Amino acid sequence: MVRRAQTELDGFIRLLEAEGVRVRRPEPIDQRRRVHTRLWSSRGFCLACPRDVYLVVGDEIIETPTCWRSRHFEGDAYRKLFKEYFAGGARWTAAPRPQLPDELFDASYRVPEPEEAIRYIINEFEPVFDAADIARCGRDLFITRSNVTNEAGIRWLRRHLGERGLRLHQLESRCTRPMHIDTTFVPLAPGRVLINPDFIDVDGLPPILRRWDVLIAPRPDPVDDLMAKFSMCSPWTSINVLMLDHRRMVVEASQPTLCRALKDWGFEPLPLAFLAYGPFGGAFHCATLDTRRRGVLEDYF
């Protein structure tokens, strides 16, 4: 599984570099070693998803207070890079590091049935959130409450961003196991957003989006692939695309229906096989953290 995923990741890197993107990599760390705090111990996860726990907004890098014990020290792999960016003028912020005691988690949690109210495995013991529950649109950011992001975490981020004139909007997800926004709500270009109709009520979108084109994603094409069966991700990772600019995007090659729809909407999809990456965390957006883009923070609303 690791070899096949690494082969596809190497192909993704070659595509990005061919499209003019400079690719930086974290330093390898031994995720098998057990780490300890006063309250718990855990082995690591992996370094496949830099998007999950780091949020870059303008010139600021924010280390998020993830509730994953296995990822509590994941930032060690990025220290060298972040120190380089800090030396070059970037702001470098860390949200309050959570304690992650047993009291944060609902030990009796079970996935709600479709007709039941949404429940979460975490409570409001302390602020926690993953950066992957956030979508950025210039000076506006959208966030979902999930099994890794609580209301306290949303309040902390709203106050922090508000000090810099940025706005945070909360979206309600209908997913029974909500985690990370990039299978739900994906901004593609100024004034255009792609949404998953199973997880989002189009009529319930924030008023700020009323002037935007809301593009309804086609249902995912079925995939007959062993790695897809082992993936912990939703089939809706089909819309987990990476925008290179306002037109070009990297899209899973096994999703021809989505590629055709994107072309009809005026985009330029770049298909690439990436299913073997799924068991390690998601798809193209998860596998990347864009730290530098040309231009400035704009106000699209």
Side-chain angles (χ1 to χ4, degrees):
M1 290 174 69
V2 172
R3 284 196 299 270
R4 182 173 162 190
Q6 186 64 58
T7 297
E8 292 190 354
L9 185 62
D10 292 342
F12 185 26
I13 291 170
R14 289 193 295 271
L15 183 151
L16 291 173
E17 291 177 336
E19 295 295 325
V21 178
R22 185 186 182 197
V23 177
R24 309 294 302 274
R25 307 295 303 279
E27 292 188 293
I29 58 176
D30 186 358
Q31 299 283 18
R32 294 169 297 182
R33 293 184 59 185
R34 186 167 288 278
V35 296
H36 302 263
T37 74
R38 292 187 305 107
L39 301 175
W40 50 265
S41 69
S42 174
R43 289 190 174 89
F45 177 58
C46 66
L47 293 176
C49 304
R51 178 78 57 177
D52 291 358
V53 289
Y54 305 102
L55 177 65
V56 177
V57 185
D59 64 352
E60 183 177 19
I61 301 166
I62 301 174
E63 297 186 40
T64 66
T66 181
C67 71
W68 301 60
R69 289 174 174 174
S70 59
R71 309 186 73 174
H72 195 65
F73 295 100
E74 194 169 308
D76 290 355
Y78 298 87
R79 288 283 155 174
K80 183 178 179 180
L81 277 173
F82 289 173
K83 286 188 286 187
E84 176 188 324
Y85 294 141
F86 175 72
R91 301 170 187 260
W92 186 6
T93 304
R97 175 166 285 192
Q99 294 175 290
L100 307 183
D102 292 346
E103 289 84 350
L104 174 64
F105 306 96
D106 179 2
S108 64
Y109 172 82
R110 62 178 177 80
V111 178
E113 297 297 330
E115 67 277 4
E116 293 182 308
I118 298 297
R119 290 186 297 274
Y120 304 100
I121 199 168
I122 56 172
N123 55 42
E124 299 299 319
F125 178 83
E126 60 186 343
V128 291
F129 64 90
D130 274 11
D133 269 323
I134 300 159
R136 303 165 302 166
C137 303
R139 294 191 170 276
D140 289 87
L141 295 90
F142 295 84
I143 191 168
T144 53
R145 170 82 166 88
S146 79
N147 281 319
V148 292
T149 294
N150 62 13
E151 294 289 350
I154 293 172
R155 286 197 303 274
W156 184 92
L157 187 61
R158 179 173 282 120
R159 292 172 191 172
H160 179 77
L161 296 175
E163 294 173 357
R164 302 194 57 193
L166 305 174
R167 300 173 292 264
L168 186 66
H169 311 277
Q170 189 168 349
L171 300 175
E172 297 298 327
S173 173
R174 298 188 295 194
C175 178
T176 57
R177 291 182 291 179
M179 188 176 71
H180 297 171
I181 201 171
D182 40 22
T183 58
T184 301
F185 177 94
V186 184
L188 300 181
R192 311 188 82 186
V193 63
L194 183 67
I195 70 160
N196 170 348
D198 287 354
F199 294 174
I200 286 286
D201 178 6
V202 178
D203 296 328
L205 289 171
I208 196 171
L209 290 164
R210 285 175 182 164
R211 290 184 295 168
W212 275 44
D213 292 336
V214 177
L215 309 175
I216 308 299
R219 302 205 69 78
D221 289 309
V223 175
D224 185 16
D225 185 275
L226 184 60
M227 294 299 101
K229 298 183 191 304
F230 281 105
S231 178
M232 60 182 174
C233 304
S234 161
W236 282 105
T237 51
S238 59
I239 66 172
N240 189 298
V241 301
L242 177 67
M243 299 302 302
L244 302 185
D245 52 34
H246 294 168
R247 288 180 54 84
R248 294 177 300 157
M249 66 180 75
V250 189
V251 184
E252 170 55 52
S254 66
Q255 298 299 313
T257 303
L258 177 61
C259 287
R260 287 194 296 270
L262 291 168
K263 289 179 181 178
D264 290 343
W265 291 325
F267 294 102
E268 183 183 339
L270 305 173
L272 186 72
F274 210 55
L275 290 177
Y277 172 87
F280 300 92
F284 300 112
H285 198 246
C286 310
T288 57
L289 176 67
D290 41 327
T291 53
R292 301 187 187 194
R293 283 185 180 263
R294 296 182 181 90
V296 297
L297 276 181
E298 298 188 33
D299 199 332
Y300 296 121
F301 298 95

